[in-house]
C-alpha cells in the first residue's frame, strides 16, 4: 500500500513537527510527531500521536525513522 506523508504542525506543547499519513484513498490514517533531539526518552524518533481506523488504540509506538513508521502502519492497514 502506498502512503502519502504531508508535513503539518501539531500543537502538542512540546514537539510540533508532524506528518499527516494518508492512505491510497487520501484518507487520514495517522498523525506522526517528530520527537526533538533533546528528548531524553526517544530523541529524534517519530511518535504515533494519533491513529484512526485499524491504527486506533492504546498502542502509540515510537519509530527510528519515517520508513519504520510507514512499515508499521502498512502492516496494520493490510491486516484483516
Amino acid at each position: 500500500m502506498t502512503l502519502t506523508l504531508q508535513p503539518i504542525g501539531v500543537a502538542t506543547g512540546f514537539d510540533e513537527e508532524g506528518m499527516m499519513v494518508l492512505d491510497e484513498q487520501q484518507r487520514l490514517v495517522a498523525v506522526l510527531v517528530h520527537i526533538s533531539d533533546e528528548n531524553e526518552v526517544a530523541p529524534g524518533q517519530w511518535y504515533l500521536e494519533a491513529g484512526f481506523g485499524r491504527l486506533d488504540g492504546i498502542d502509540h509506538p515510537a519509530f527510528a525513522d519515517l520508513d519504520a513508521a510507514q512499515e508499521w502502519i502498512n502492516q496494520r492497514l493490510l491486516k484483516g
Side-chain angles (χ1 to χ4, degrees), residues 11-29:
T12 63
F14 303 101
D15 305 312
E16 296 189 356
E17 178 187 359
M19 288 284 177
M20 291 188 305
V21 183
L22 308 171
D23 68 8
E24 292 175 333
Q25 289 82 36
Q26 295 300 295
R27 297 176 300 184
L28 180 63
V29 295

Side-chain angles (χ1 to χ4, degrees), residues 1-79:
M1 172 179 291
T2 302
L3 299 172
T4 301
L5 301 179
Q6 292 184 0
I8 189 166
V10 181
T12 63
F14 303 101
D15 305 312
E16 296 189 356
E17 178 187 359
M19 288 284 177
M20 291 188 305
V21 183
L22 308 171
D23 68 8
E24 292 175 333
Q25 289 82 36
Q26 295 300 295
R27 297 176 300 184
L28 180 63
V29 295
V31 175
L32 301 169
V33 173
H34 191 224
I35 301 170
S36 75
D37 290 332
E38 289 80 37
N39 182 286
E40 295 178 10
V41 177
Q45 294 190 2
W46 287 86
Y47 172 73
L48 178 68
E49 185 69 36
F52 306 98
R54 291 186 180 145
L55 303 178
D56 188 19
I58 59 172
D59 188 22
H60 290 257
F63 308 96
D65 54 36
L66 287 173
D67 288 337
Q70 289 181 83
E71 183 178 328
W72 183 89
I73 292 168
N74 264 324
Q75 288 175 358
R76 271 132 194 92
L77 292 178
L78 293 173
K79 283 184 179 179

